[in-house]
Amino acid sequence: RAVSALMGRHFAVNRVGYGHLDPDADMFDYTVCWTDGKTVPLLGRFPAEAFGTKIVAKLNAGETVVVEDLLRDTLSDESLTRETAAKVDTRAILVVPFLRAGRLRTIVYLNSTPPRRWSAEEIGFMEEVAERTRQVIEKSEAEAALQALNATLEARVEERTAALRAAEGALRESQKME
């Protein structure tokens, strides 16, 4: 949330956020969204198709999507794409995808209510911010997985130690009976 707010102010856009793709449902879940206070936040679930097959195809290919005017660009010329743009009051977008194992998982986006020409510097900076954010997310997920693995390993060691102690006790008892 803090990064979204910083990006929103830095880029002077109306909306910044993250969307996570549920590949089974082909839906984007939007849970983090900063706005300038004038624009409605983009939160909730949206079908990927609402953003258009051309845009989603680029994202799936790991390509940054840059559209200066959603109502005029050929990348956004599908009717559903333009309907969605009107519903969310957005004319210009800059979207960077995060792929994992070759599949689209997350996007970070900038939205502008008026059309906007994105500079090469803005695009490069946004891609760098997105890459660093991706690294933080993956590090956090890896740390959580490692903690879960450690907990499982500790439980297995305790179980085996208890089983070994029980076996040693049984062996001593059988040796006493001999």
Side-chain angles (χ1 to χ4, degrees):
R1 294 182 202 298
V3 171
S4 293
L6 287 170
M7 289 190 314
R9 288 190 287 276
H10 174 78
F11 288 104
V13 293
N14 303 95
R15 185 185 298 120
V16 178
Y18 294 86
H20 302 284
L21 180 65
D22 174 350
D24 297 326
D26 205 26
M27 300 279 284
F28 280 105
D29 292 311
Y30 293 97
T31 57
V32 175
C33 183
W34 172 90
T35 71
D36 59 2
K38 301 172 194 163
T39 305
V40 176
L42 184 60
L43 297 168
R45 288 176 65 89
F46 290 85
E49 69 183 19
F51 301 101
T53 57
K54 292 178 183 180
I55 289 174
V56 173
K58 280 190 76 148
L59 295 171
N60 277 320
E63 297 176 32
T64 297
V65 172
V66 180
V67 179
E68 295 178 0
D69 188 344
L70 287 162
L71 300 183
R72 294 203 163 97
D73 196 292
T74 57
L75 184 62
S76 56
D77 63 2
E78 298 165 82
S79 61
L80 192 52
T81 307
R82 293 192 172 164
E83 287 172 25
T84 301
K87 284 180 191 174
V88 299
D89 193 23
T90 298
R91 291 284 295 273
I93 61 172
L94 174 52
V95 186
V96 181
F98 301 166
L99 301 183
R100 181 167 298 136
R103 295 188 65 194
L104 179 62
R105 292 291 182 229
T106 305
I107 60 169
V108 59
Y109 63 88
L110 302 177
N111 288 173
S112 176
T113 299
R116 176 182 179 143
R117 176 156 295 177
W118 303 99
S119 71
E121 293 81 19
E122 289 174 317
I123 296 165
F125 185 65
M126 181 65 173
E127 289 174 333
E128 179 64 26
V129 168
E131 175 59 20
R132 289 180 186 213
T133 302
R134 182 195 61 77
Q135 290 172 357
V136 168
I137 290 168
E138 287 183 0
K139 181 182 177 194
S140 175
E141 289 173 350
E143 287 172 353
L146 184 58
Q147 287 175 350
L149 180 61
N150 283 341
T152 302
L153 184 57
E154 287 174 13
R156 290 175 62 192
V157 167
E158 288 176 13
E159 287 173 14
R160 290 188 180 193
T161 301
L164 181 59
R165 287 186 182 139
E168 288 173 345
L171 180 60
R172 280 192 293 272
E173 285 298 318
S174 71
Q175 289 174 341
K176 284 182 188 177
M177 297 182 90
E178 291 177 358

